Amino acid sequence: MNIKFLTNLLRSIFFILFLSSYSYSGEIIKFVSLDKDKPQNISGELFLPQEIKGRVPAMVVVHGTGGIDDRTKYFAENLPKFGIAVFIVDFKSGIFSSPSDRPPVDTFLPMSFAALNILRNNPNIDPKKIGIMGFSLGGALTTISSLQENKNKWIGKDKEGFKVHVAYYPVCRYFLSKLESSSQIKSPMKVYWGTKDSYGDGEHCPKLKDRLTTISKSEVELESFEDGYHGFDGTVNVSFNDPAAIGGRATVMGNNVFAEKARKSSIDFIIKHLK
């Protein structure tokens, strides 16, 4: 048997066994959006590593339009095993109920930076090592929160933004529309997308990759999944109306192989930039 193949196989087995050996529980934290004109009461659930020695890194995890589900919970269960706290925020309850009344993505920026501030004031969290990741709606929010102009608007020029950004199928055309000649990104970013995504990522994420090389001052990676659909890392297979989808109709379809690959890659990327 090829030695390299055997080594990679053993590493994968160890990774799976390690992830399956951990139980978790979280603390509910309530906070308020930074938008003073439209303050919004929101909350999140903080999951800490079982053994804390000093302050630990953390990731803010943002759900999609459907709300908190198995995708967000996966990272709440598994990132703490690597010494990284997870703060799953709820940006849906009391704010919107479906794609038809979902606010624009920019609406959630003051909420995401409020979550960053909350974690920075938590005695268990390293204030210099806080990242953000999200899925669909949360992925779009993850990408636009990387822009320096958005960070400056909500927490000021003198404070650092998120340390790392990980976005799953973030509707790349939306992020492209937000980029200007003066836009800058200073934090590492990883984007995952499927070529059959109903929101056009198959067409627009490659364009985004080219564009980001001109404005990013840090590492940027975009990883595609051939024939992958929106929500490829989830367990739901469904079609529904969404004004943001191409033609107003979205298809969500999970793929276990894609999910495992993307999740392992995400954890590796997060560890690389937070640990």
Side-chain angles (χ1 to χ4, degrees), residues 29-271:
I29 298 175
K30 297 181 179 181
F31 58 108
V32 181
S33 166
L34 295 178
D35 189 344
K36 295 181 179 179
D37 294 329
K38 296 181 179 179
Q40 182 70 49
N41 293 318
I42 42 184
S43 67
E45 191 169 4
L46 179 63
F47 300 87
L48 295 171
Q50 285 187 331
E51 295 182 7
I52 296 180
K53 297 179 180 179
R55 295 190 167 196
V56 299
M59 289 293 292
V60 174
V61 179
V62 189
H63 55 76
T65 298
I68 295 170
D69 59 17
D70 58 299
R71 295 171 295 174
T72 51
K73 290 179 179 179
Y74 174 87
F75 289 95
E77 290 181 305
N78 291 298
L79 274 176
K81 302 170 189 177
F82 298 92
I84 299 172
V86 171
F87 190 41
I88 296 185
V89 292
D90 182 359
F91 290 169
K92 183 175 183 179
S93 297
I95 300 171
F96 70 98
S97 60
S98 70
S100 62
D101 66 345
R102 178 187 57 218
V105 178
D106 293 56
T107 305
F108 303 96
L109 277 170
M111 302 180 196
S112 65
F113 285 111
L116 175 61
N117 285 346
I118 285 294
L119 290 182
R120 281 187 170 152
N121 290 320
N122 189 298
N124 292 310
I125 305 300
D126 186 336
K128 295 182 179 181
K129 294 183 177 181
I130 302 171
I132 185 171
M133 69 182 301
F135 309 85
S136 190
L137 167 63
L141 178 61
T142 294
T143 58
I144 64 171
S145 67
S146 70
L147 298 177
Q148 286 295 295
E149 55 261 40
N150 288 331
K151 187 273 297 184
N152 293 343
K153 176 180 179 179
W154 294 110
I155 60 174
K157 294 182 179 181
D158 58 330
K159 293 183 180 180
E160 293 185 6
F162 290 102
K163 187 74 173 179
V164 63
H165 299 75
V166 178
Y168 280 64
Y169 31 88
V171 190
C172 287
R173 61 190 171 94
Y174 180 80
F175 190 29
L176 274 167
S177 71
K178 296 294 181 180
L179 299 181
E180 301 176 357
S181 58
S182 60
S183 294
Q184 288 188 355
I185 298 174
K186 297 183 178 181
S187 302
M189 180 185 297
K190 181 90 180 206
V191 177
Y192 300 93
W193 53 278
T195 59
K196 290 187 176 180
D197 193 287
S198 300
Y199 296 80
D201 279 356
E203 175 186 355
H204 296 283
C205 284
K207 296 177 182 178
L208 176 63
K209 183 177 183 179
D210 293 337
R211 183 73 177 89
L212 289 180
T213 60
T214 67
I215 67 171
S216 177
K217 296 182 179 298
S218 189
E219 178 182 359
V220 174
E221 296 181 10
L222 278 80
E223 184 171 344
S224 65
F225 290 89
E226 190 66 30
D227 294 330
Y229 286 83
H230 202 75
F232 62 76
D233 58 320
T235 57
V236 175
N237 297 327
V238 66
S239 292
F240 54 90
N241 294 327
D242 187 339
I246 304 301
R249 188 72 179 172
T251 297
V252 171
M253 187 177 299
N255 183 301
N256 290 335
V257 175
F258 293 167
E260 182 179 349
K261 183 178 179 181
R263 287 168 171 175
K264 185 180 185 303
S265 172
S266 296
I267 291 175
D268 288 343
F269 192 77
I270 291 167
I271 290 173

